Amino acid sequence: LLLNHKIEMKNINQTFQYLLTIFPRFVGILSSWAIFLMIVLTTIVVFFRYFLSIGVVGLQEMVIYLHGIAFLLCSAYAYENDEHVRVDIFYRRSSIKNKKLINLIGNLIFLQPMVWTIFILSLDYVLFSWSIYEISPEPGGLPFVYLYKTSILIFSLILILQSLASIFSYFDND
C-alpha cells in the first residue's frame, strides 16, 4: 500500500511538472522563430538602406522588438533545458542531490522573488501602455508598443511556471 501511494505521488508530481511547463515550452519554441525573423528583417533593412537608400523605421523597430521577444520569451525554455547562464563554482562538482538542493534554494531565494517583483512592478507600466494603445514616437514606427511591453508580463509568468516545475522536480526520487 505504501509503495502504491509513493508511485501515485510520484505520478502526480511529474504530471504537475508537465502541466506547469506546457505553456513556457510552447512560448519558448514559438518565440525562437523571432531569431529567424530578425535575420530576415535585418537583411531587408540593410538592402533597403544601402542599395535603395530608403530607411524603414518600422522594420528597424521590429528587429529590436523581435530581439527583446527572443530574449524574454525564450528564457523559461532555456531554463528548462539547462541552457541558462550559471555561476557554477561549486555546482559542477556537486552530486546530483546537492545540485537539486542548490536549484531549489536558487529558485526559492532568487528566481521566484525576482520574477514576482518584475511582474508586480511592470503590471502598471504595461496596463498604462494598453490604456493609451501606446505607439512608437518615431515617424513610421510601429503602432503596437503596448503588445511588445506585454512580453514583460509573459516573461514573468512563464518563468514563474518553469521555476515552480523545477521546485517540484526537487521532490522526485530519481
Side-chain angles (χ1 to χ4, degrees):
L1 183 65
L2 184 60
L3 182 62
N4 287 339
H5 183 296
K6 213 174 197 180
I7 291 171
E8 186 177 316
M9 289 304 293
K10 182 177 180 178
N11 289 339
I12 290 170
N13 187 6
Q14 288 176 341
T15 302
F16 202 55
Q17 288 176 53
Y18 174 75
L19 292 173
L20 286 169
T21 59
I22 289 172
F23 183 62
R25 187 177 296 128
F26 172 75
V27 170
I29 291 168
L30 185 66
S31 61
S32 67
W33 283 94
I35 297 167
F36 174 73
L37 290 173
M38 277 176 35
I39 294 167
V40 170
L41 292 178
T42 301
T43 303
I44 292 169
V45 166
V46 167
F47 178 77
F48 272 84
R49 170 166 267 155
Y50 294 105
F51 292 103
L52 303 178
S53 298
I54 300 171
V56 187
V57 175
L59 287 180
Q60 291 171 315
E61 284 186 356
M62 184 57 81
V63 171
I64 294 168
Y65 286 16
L66 288 169
H67 182 262
I69 287 169
F71 178 79
L72 291 174
L73 302 186
C74 289
S75 61
Y77 186 67
Y79 180 66
E80 175 188 20
N81 293 296
D82 205 24
E83 298 293 330
H84 57 290
V85 175
R86 179 193 314 268
V87 179
D88 64 350
I89 298 168
F90 305 108
Y91 189 85
R92 71 178 142 199
R93 295 184 184 156
S94 298
S95 67
I96 292 174
K97 184 178 178 182
N98 284 342
K99 286 180 180 181
K100 287 177 111 178
L101 182 61
I102 291 167
N103 289 338
L104 176 67
I105 292 169
N107 272 285
L108 293 174
I109 294 177
F110 299 112
L111 186 55
Q112 281 288 324
M114 181 207 60
V115 292
W116 279 104
T117 301
I118 291 171
F119 182 82
I120 291 166
L121 293 178
S122 64
L123 191 57
D124 285 340
Y125 175 71
V126 174
L127 290 175
F128 177 74
S129 183
W130 270 87
S131 72
I132 62 170
Y133 294 108
E134 186 176 0
I135 63 170
S136 172
E138 299 295 323
L142 298 175
F144 48 82
V145 173
Y146 58 96
L147 290 174
Y148 175 61
K149 288 185 178 182
T150 303
S151 64
I152 300 168
L153 297 178
I154 297 169
F155 157 77
S156 301
L157 290 175
I158 62 176
L159 259 180
I160 288 167
L161 293 173
Q162 189 59 54
S163 174
L164 288 173
S166 181
I167 290 168
F168 280 105
S169 75
Y170 176 76
F171 300 101
D172 283 345
N173 293 325
D174 295 339

